[in-house]
Amino acid sequence: MRVLLSGNEAVARGCYEHGVKVATAYPGTPSTEILENVVRYKDDIYCEWSPNEKVAFEVAIGASFGGVRTITAMKHVGLNVAADPLMTSTLVGGDGGFVIVSADDPGMHSSQNEQDNRYYAKFAKIPLVEPSDSQEVKDHLGTAFEISERFGTPVLFRMSTRLSHAKTPVTLGERVEVPRKEYAKDTSRRVVIPAHARRLHVKVEERLCRLAEYAETTPLNRVEEGEAKVGVISSGIAYQYARDAFPDATFLKLGMSYPFPIELVRRFAARFDRVFVVEENEPFIEDAMRVAGITNVVGKEKVPLCGELNQGIVRSALVGAGAKVTPEAVPPRPPVLCPGCPHRTTFFTLNRLRIGATSDIGCYTLGVMPPLEGLDTCLCMGASIGNALGLEKAIGRDFAKKMVAVLGDSTFVHSGMTGLADVAYNRGATTVIVLDNSTTAMTGHQDHPGTGTTLMGEPTVKLDLIALAKSMGVRHARRVNAYDVAAVRQAVREAVDSPEPSFLVVEGTCVLLERERWGPALVVDHDECVACGLCRRLGCPALSKGEDGKTTINPIFCVGSLCSVCAQVCPKKCIAPPDAARS
């Protein structure tokens, strides 16, 4: 049966068909939907949202030690978090097949940088498999497991945003059960004390030579003969762009681009006066060719280095005089916090109190937008607390009263806990504010250890953030209702005035999960409104300025009395539910 599947859905289907037993991940666009679809097969595959990518990696390779096929999935920056176990897992290898899915984000649709994770394969000296459509995703995943088991190595499986989210036809197959290998203690391989690691490193280099020989002949790398005299080398989703742009060209399609099949590439390049290399982001293939002395290469001097490619860009780059990736000519729509978002009160309060904030990555990062303008820094997951402590150490404790660290509940579990421990241990006075909306909202409402539910749908223990902070030595630890403006203001003041580290959990479930509690839109009594505009300083999309300068509430956007933050900040108390306004 043929069906349309996105690349992420195809990864999940491939896990099912190729006998995977354990799948782990931390959600992150563009990889989130992989585990969300793997869980459809939970009768055959154990799957979990892990607290972060490093834990996900460690659980997955642990399961591989147990002799079953395992997969761990993450977005490109997530592999940075998991880089520590990655770089040693290459020495250790797995027992059951072990595949790491890295979903890169060319164009940074939802990411803080544009790193090309193909280099991780070269850095870690592990095979790199690059599918180009959903059918290849499913099929190549099976080959990746075979490579992992044959050579005793983790395999990096590179996806990208367009491949992850675009749907193409896939022929479904049946699940093949792969018998579990018996676990046997093997400290000389799995315990990487220096004496063992030195020996294992030699084995990795030997393995890399055998993998290089395999790369020269694997069907994953194939020549597609064309009628034209144009030779193109490409891989991943860039192959689709190049194929659309040059349907008659002769292609060398690389489905396994590391170890680099240099002799195959050399023979192909020798057939043409010039060989065009089409690849997204970094010149991974091009550099390998130039290092090998292949000079008839046309690559990044024509094809843009930055941003996401498409067939138009590739065509104009190679036929014309070059191209640049430019934003599409559509009206800009700046991202904002949702109407009724529980994070809004905190940023409004910080703004009014003239307190800055270091931040992490999540919905709350949108607090940087006007009029809230609540953020000073945003580096990566978990960095907010370290940044705030660093600023305190550099500028002084008085400065700590003017700067807080802000992060979400999922992010705090991901990598904020160690930062808080650092503040307490190193005698900081930093205020940490966790904006607890009871989910991982930015990526689509996934559970985490603070929600009390597993990915498998089972109830489980729920992390007590206040108790955790106190156990770290943070005595000033409080909870406050996110929709109570006066309480949030009081709590923030007390926290920043504390001479010790302080920890504030601002609780308010994501408004998108509370639809049943949405009420009738609030209304403005225009006879009482004095057009001061204070309510619009909240930056709520439901509020706008009318022709008379007074505030108007869009009933389509307003969530009613579930929020009512605008009614609380109105100095004239002229915003109210419709029934109250009529009375």
Side-chain angles (χ1 to χ4, degrees):
M1 182 173 67
R2 282 170 69 78
V3 298
L4 279 175
L5 295 180
S6 70
N8 285 348
E9 291 170 329
V11 173
R13 182 67 191 184
C15 287
Y16 171 74
E17 293 187 13
H18 300 302
V20 168
K21 284 289 189 183
V22 174
T24 66
Y26 180 81
T29 304
S31 67
T32 305
E33 298 84 3
I34 292 173
L35 262 286
E36 289 183 332
N37 283 280
V38 173
V39 77
R40 296 167 55 198
Y41 308 106
K42 64 181 181 181
D43 289 345
D44 297 291
I45 304 172
Y46 167 78
C47 47
E48 71 167 43
W49 290 129
S50 305
N52 62 32
E53 293 86 353
K54 180 175 181 288
V55 176
F57 191 107
E58 291 159 349
V59 171
I61 196 166
S64 177
F65 293 158
V68 299
R69 285 186 170 182
T70 65
I71 189 169
T72 186
M74 57 201 72
K75 68 180 300 180
H76 62 308
V77 291
L79 194 51
N80 300 336
V81 179
D84 197 4
L86 166 68
M87 298 307 295
T88 304
S89 71
T90 187
L91 301 176
V92 173
D95 292 83
F98 178 43
V99 173
I100 308 146
V101 179
S102 171
D104 291 6
D105 190 14
M108 293 176 280
H109 296 281
S110 186
S111 303
Q112 67 269 41
N113 70 30
E114 199 175 34
Q115 69 189 47
D116 187 333
N117 274 11
R118 291 179 296 176
Y119 287 99
Y120 261 119
K122 185 176 182 180
F123 190 24
K125 302 185 177 183
I126 59 176
L128 170 64
V129 174
E130 291 191 81
S132 296
D133 59 32
S134 295
Q135 182 69 58
E136 285 192 353
V137 167
K138 184 175 79 76
D139 295 344
H140 287 9
L141 189 62
T143 306
F145 280 114
E146 293 169 0
I147 294 171
S148 175
E149 290 160 355
R150 175 177 171 182
F151 293 94
T153 177
V155 175
L156 188 66
F157 196 81
R158 192 216 190 196
M159 304 279 288
S160 60
T161 302
R162 202 60 53 180
L163 178 61
S164 288
H165 292 162
K167 293 199 174 190
T168 57
V170 175
T171 300
L172 301 184
E174 299 296 325
R175 177 173 172 86
V176 175
E177 292 294 344
V178 180
R180 183 178 69 83
K181 297 176 181 176
E182 286 299 318
Y183 176 77
K185 187 173 182 176
D186 187 354
T187 54
S188 65
R189 178 165 68 88
R190 298 198 192 106
V191 181
V192 281
I193 57 175
H196 295 165
R198 293 187 194 102
R199 179 180 50 81
L200 292 170
H201 186 191
V202 173
K203 289 184 176 293
V204 167
E205 300 300 334
E206 294 171 349
R207 182 183 71 201
L208 200 57
C209 293
R210 289 186 283 117
L211 283 165
E213 293 175 0
Y214 174 84
E216 297 285 349
T217 58
T218 174
L220 296 176
N221 298 328
R222 66 173 186 263
V223 175
E224 298 175 348
E225 298 291 347
E227 298 178 355
K229 295 182 179 179
V230 178
V232 180
I233 301 176
S234 191
S235 67
I237 195 65
Y239 162 80
Q240 301 292 357
Y241 304 143
R243 174 54 84 185
D244 279 355
F246 303 100
D248 297 327
T250 297
F251 274 76
L252 173 55
K253 182 182 182 305
L254 298 180
M256 180 177 174
S257 46
Y258 189 80
F260 193 68
I262 187 58
E263 295 307 321
L264 176 62
V265 172
R266 194 188 305 279
R267 290 195 300 273
F268 182 82
R271 296 170 54 184
F272 305 93
D273 292 335
R274 292 188 305 171
V275 176
F276 298 100
V277 175
V278 180
E279 54 188 330
E280 220 160 34
N281 290 155
E282 300 298 322
F284 184 81
I285 297 172
E286 182 184 342
D287 282 355
M289 294 175 68
R290 294 191 188 279
V291 167
I294 301 172
T295 58
N296 58 334
V297 183
V298 177
K300 287 302 174 184
E301 71 267 38
K302 295 283 189 180
V303 180
L305 181 73
C306 301
E308 187 176 33
L309 300 178
N310 60 41
Q311 53 269 50
I313 292 171
V314 172
R315 186 183 296 111
S316 62
L318 298 183
V319 173
K324 294 181 179 178
V325 177
T326 57
E328 295 181 6
V330 296
R333 187 176 67 87
V336 295
L337 296 172
C338 297
C341 175
H343 300 340
R344 181 167 282 106
T345 311
T346 300
F347 287 115
F348 177 78
T349 300
L350 295 175
N351 182 284
R352 302 303 291 175
L353 295 177
R354 300 184 184 279
I355 296 173
T358 56
S359 176
D360 282 7
I361 307 292
C363 288
Y364 45 90
T365 315
L366 299 177
V368 71
M369 302 301 294
L372 298 172
E373 299 178 310
L375 304 186
D376 286 59
T377 69
C378 178
L379 190 62
C380 64
M381 300 280 275
S384 61
I385 302 176
N387 285 172
L389 180 61
L391 284 164
E392 178 190 338
K393 296 296 184 184
I395 304 176
R397 288 208 168 193
D398 287 344
F399 184 80
K401 296 181 179 181
K402 303 174 184 176
M403 184 70 65
V404 299
V406 174
L407 70 171
D409 47 326
S410 180
T411 312
F412 179 71
V413 175
H414 178 282
S415 50
M417 294 189 293
T418 47
L420 183 62
D422 186 40
V423 169
Y425 172 67
N426 282 306
R427 302 170 59 84
T430 298
T431 294
V432 175
I433 299 179
V434 174
L435 301 174
D436 184 358
N437 60 6
S438 302
T439 189
T440 314
M442 180 67 95
T443 49
H445 301 119
Q446 291 78 31
D447 285 299
H448 60 75
T451 67
T453 307
T454 72
L455 176 57
M456 304 281 275
E458 303 159 327
T460 185
V461 294
K462 182 176 179 180
L463 189 61
D464 185 334
L465 300 184
I466 297 295
L468 177 68
K470 289 184 176 179
S471 74
M472 291 179 175
V474 181
R475 292 179 291 187
H476 185 113
R478 309 279 190 274
R479 285 191 178 90
V480 65
N481 179 357
Y483 290 114
D484 188 332
V485 177
V488 170
R489 185 183 180 92
Q490 180 66 23
V492 170
R493 275 184 161 166
E494 290 176 357
V496 297
D497 285 341
S498 170
E500 306 176 67
S502 53
F503 184 71
L504 184 61
V505 179
V506 183
E507 293 182 319
T509 302
C510 176
V511 70
L512 299 179
L513 297 177
E514 297 276 60
R515 293 178 187 274
E516 73 283 358
R517 295 181 57 204
W518 292 8
L522 305 186
V523 296
V524 180
D525 183 342
H526 280 225
D527 292 336
E528 296 294 327
C529 178
V530 295
C532 69
L534 181 59
C535 58
R536 295 196 300 277
R537 296 293 300 170
L538 289 164
C540 178
L543 306 179
S544 60
K545 181 180 180 181
E547 292 182 356
D548 57 359
K550 298 180 179 181
T551 293
T552 297
I553 296 179
N554 188 330
I556 296 176
F557 294 143
C558 180
V559 302
S561 55
L562 168 64
C563 173
S564 77
V565 171
C566 58
Q568 295 177 56
V569 303
C570 175
K572 303 298 291 183
K573 302 303 178 188
C574 61
I575 301 176
D579 291 345
R582 283 195 293 270
S583 65

